[in-house]
Amino acid sequence: KTMMLAVGSDTSIFFGGSVAAATIAGMIALFAPCCVSVMLPAYFAASFQNRRLLMAMTFLFAAGIATVIVPIALGASLVRRVLVDGHGVIYSIGGVILLLLAAFTLSGGQMRLPSPSARPTGRGPVGVYALGLFSGVASSCCAPVLIGVIALSGVTNSFLQALGLGSAYVFGMVAPLLVISLLWDHFDWKSSPVFRRRSVTWRLGKITRTISGTNLASGILLALMGGWALLVSTQGGMRASSTGWQGRMLLWLQRQGRSASDVLDNFPGWSIAVGLIVIVAILARLAVRQIGWLEPSTQPDKFTDEKDTDREYQK
């Protein structure tokens, strides 16, 4: 297995030319401070309104990330140059979009995925995908993530290999989010008293809106992220530090990645690839079942309470 250490001017990240190494590199990239500080808030902002469809939402969120990461892994130099040279513009545009999503949410709009019992509006999937897309763009501006993805495009000999490694990298980045989704369903956290139905009324001059508590939480989180992105844009973008606690954390993550990769070295590369495909297929089936595409006749009533509640808030 080809294993390398890509070193940038600010920091470094561990990556390799195998599916297992690419997956591990994605996990390391996610937990880089400059990446996790963007991706987790965006993920939770979308999760609040899709807590009954969390696995399906996570796949759509991951698709937004992949839209940015995979082309770079395939060697798209134009995308890479835009990310490297356009930090300020990228964060400015992202900040404005996040503030618009915040206003839309706080006014009672939904970013929820369509359910079998509700008429799809098209806004929900677009909003979730947009948050994933912003996460992919913002995190790719972070040196550890960008260096790792660029390196993937340099160790592959074919389009299919580059596509496989890029996809494995994205899977590594979203794997912790998929684990959250599985635990969410297993322990039925969506039924927690924390998420019981609440309404909040706000007034701004002659405008009055009554929204759900989850809309309020999502809107505030999106507004904070938008403000933060605009602030970062004035500083030319976000950079990871190779010193201090960030440098120590990246070094620790790198060591853990090497250890995990050494263990996986004992398995044939094809078995790791097949295993990942099987895992993704199982999780995708669960996501499709959540939406109700596989069992439409048994799912409709599952979302009735939430749908009725939203209608009450919008009256």
Side-chain angles (χ1 to χ4, degrees), residues 47-59:
S47 299
F48 288 141
Q49 294 185 3
N50 292 282
R51 59 189 184 277
R52 295 184 181 275
L53 296 167
L54 199 57
M55 182 61 71
M57 187 277 298
T58 304
F59 267 89

Side-chain angles (χ1 to χ4, degrees), residues 64-90:
I65 298 172
T67 301
V68 179
I69 299 295
V70 172
I72 301 176
L74 293 175
S77 58
L78 176 61
V79 177
R80 183 172 59 203
R81 285 198 302 270
V82 170
L83 292 174
V84 172
D85 300 332
H87 287 85
V89 175
I90 288 173

